[in-house]
């Protein structure tokens, strides 16, 4: 009985909400008209193109062995910006592209939510 109380109590609820709201999805094909999708993809590509060099330079400087790992990879999933905000309840969202050989082959979004002590935006 106590186990069920714990699982459905506040800690269990917070864990369930965090797990269910944290995801990475592809952009649905039928969500927008074709013209809007093309515009959105161009915007994402522009951000990816502008951010890849600076992001990879920062990655190579901060993470030992990153240059070798990137060299071995088949592709890179690049999110030019991920916006974080929250006061008590927080969330983040970003859109990016999967790059293979310098070309975008897929478009993705990431989203998550959290509960806890935090305030601000980034």
């Amino acid at each position: 009985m106590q186990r069920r109380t714990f699982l459905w109590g506040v800690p269990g609820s917070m864990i369930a909400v965090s797990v269910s709201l944290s995801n990475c999805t592809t952009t649905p094909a039928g969500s927008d008209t074709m013209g809007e999708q093309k515009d959105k993809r161009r915007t994402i590509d522009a951000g990816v193109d502008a951010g890849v060099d600076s992001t990879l330079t920062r990655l190579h400087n901060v993470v030992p062995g990153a240059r070798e790992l990137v060299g071995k990879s088949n592709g890179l999933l690049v999110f030019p910006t991920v916006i974080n905000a929250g006061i008590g309840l927080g969330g983040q969202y970003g859109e990016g592209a999967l790059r293979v050989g310098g070309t975008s082959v897929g478009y993705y979004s990431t989203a998550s939510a959290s509960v806890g002590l935090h305030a601000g935006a980034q």
Side-chain angles (χ1 to χ4, degrees):
M1 187 68 119
Q2 288 179 335
R3 186 173 184 181
R4 282 188 182 175
T5 303
F6 172 75
L7 289 176
W8 293 111
V10 174
S13 297
M14 287 193 304
I15 292 169
V17 168
S18 296
V19 169
S20 67
L21 293 178
S22 186
N23 62 19
C24 184
T25 62
T26 60
T27 306
S31 66
D32 297 323
T33 63
M34 288 301 265
E36 289 173 346
Q37 282 185 355
K38 287 180 183 179
D39 289 341
K40 192 173 198 176
R41 289 177 179 176
R42 272 188 281 235
T43 303
I44 293 171
D45 282 338
V48 167
D49 290 339
V52 167
D53 292 333
S54 64
T55 302
L56 286 178
T57 300
R58 188 173 54 210
L59 176 68
H60 294 156
N61 291 335
V62 173
V63 180
R67 190 175 306 277
E68 292 78 22
L69 183 63
V70 170
K72 293 178 189 177
S73 69
N74 292 325
L76 296 172
L77 186 55
V78 181
F79 289 89
T81 57
V82 176
I83 298 170
N84 300 308
I87 298 177
L89 294 175
Q92 67 181 30
Y93 182 77
E95 296 176 329
L98 176 62
R99 304 285 289 211
V100 176
T103 305
S104 296
V105 297
Y107 296 89
Y108 296 83
S109 64
T110 183
S112 69
S114 62
V115 177
L117 298 174
H118 46 74
Q122 190 175 358

